[in-house]
Amino acid sequence: GPLEEISLPLFFGWFLLSSVQDKVRCTSMDFLKTLDTLEAFKKHLSDFTGKAEKEVDLEQYFQAKGTLHCTTKFCDYGKAPGAKEYAQNTAVKDYYGSAFELSLSALFVTPRTVGARVSLTEEQLLLWPADAIEEAGSASLPLGSRAHITLGCAENVEPVQTGLDLLEILTLQQDGQQGEPIEEMELGSLTYYGEGRWLLTLREPICTPARFSSFYG
Ligand code: 2AM
């Protein structure tokens, strides 16, 4: 009946504690600000603007999207495939409401999204949907490869795109494309993967407390 239908959330995920959200946002803003000023970035500016001579303010280019979180399962109130099975999973029920520490291992920017890659532990992988399709293109990537936090989206881009952008970069890596090493930044090493895809591998992963829960909206 209708009650059953609304008993599943829009999505499950890890929600960053509000005290650390600002810190993560600041780190992301600092990165965007620095990226904006790099000659290498300016050289590839047309990836973002479509025109070589135009300028772009990356901090304005991306819009923040609500509470920072790492989606585990998008349920769409039960309409998404596997939603019910996921909600009934023992680990999901057992860990619901528990605190975790997420490790953010990289930041990435594309003309569509900016996000943070989340490197999941074995325990955290228990909450990753087993039916996840981790495929982008032809390469099959390890379970949980898509784990990320959406930090911002370009105009008219939906947050679901962030995970797809991350998978695209990981697929390039898996296919043996090393990317173009750009420079060592304070936070880590910056690599360019073409078509406006930038990856900053953090020297020190950012560890952040997060609670496993769900969002109804
Ligand atoms: P995100 O995880 O990349 O940020 C509500 O829309 C949340 O569910 C957002 O956080 C969004 O993206 C995520 N989401 C939306 N549609 C999705 C889908 N089809 N698959 C996985 N996650 C999705």
Side-chain angles (χ1 to χ4, degrees), residues 10-11 69-71 74 146 148 150 159-163:
L10 181 60
F11 64 92
H69 65 271
C70 173
T71 305
F74 180 69
R146 185 176 178 159
H148 68 279
T150 297
V160 64
Q161 184 61 45
T162 319

Side-chain angles (χ1 to χ4, degrees), residues 9 16 18 46 79 95 115 126 146 158 200 205 212:
L16 271 60
S18 50
S46 59
K79 290 195 289 268
Y95 283 120
L126 297 173
R146 185 176 178 159
E158 294 297 323
L200 177 73
F212 180 67

Side-chain angles (χ1 to χ4, degrees), residues 48 56-63 110-112 153-155:
F48 284 78
V56 63
D57 179 346
L58 285 181
E59 284 177 280
Q60 302 284 318
Y61 184 89
F62 294 110
Q63 284 136 40
T110 76
R112 299 163 296 277
C153 294
E155 214 179 342

Side-chain angles (χ1 to χ4, degrees), residues 101-106 117-121 124 205-208:
E101 187 151 278
L102 293 184
S103 171
L104 316 189
S105 54
R117 182 180 188 192
V118 179
S119 295
L120 300 176
T121 64
Q124 290 163 356
I206 300 170
C207 286
T208 169

Side-chain angles (χ1 to χ4, degrees), residues 44-112:
H44 297 289
L45 203 60
S46 59
D47 295 337
F48 284 78
T49 61
K51 284 191 193 140
E53 71 274 18
K54 266 176 74 179
E55 289 202 352
V56 63
D57 179 346
L58 285 181
E59 284 177 280
Q60 302 284 318
Y61 184 89
F62 294 110
Q63 284 136 40
K65 298 266 176 181
T67 313
L68 295 185
H69 65 271
C70 173
T71 305
T72 52
K73 176 70 184 174
F74 180 69
C75 292
D76 199 12
Y77 307 109
K79 290 195 289 268
K84 205 173 163 196
E85 291 76 7
Y86 180 83
Q88 288 169 349
N89 182 295
T90 319
V92 171
K93 287 196 262 187
D94 288 353
Y95 283 120
Y96 196 82
S98 301
F100 287 83
E101 187 151 278
L102 293 184
S103 171
L104 316 189
S105 54
L107 299 177
F108 56 95
V109 174
T110 76
R112 299 163 296 277

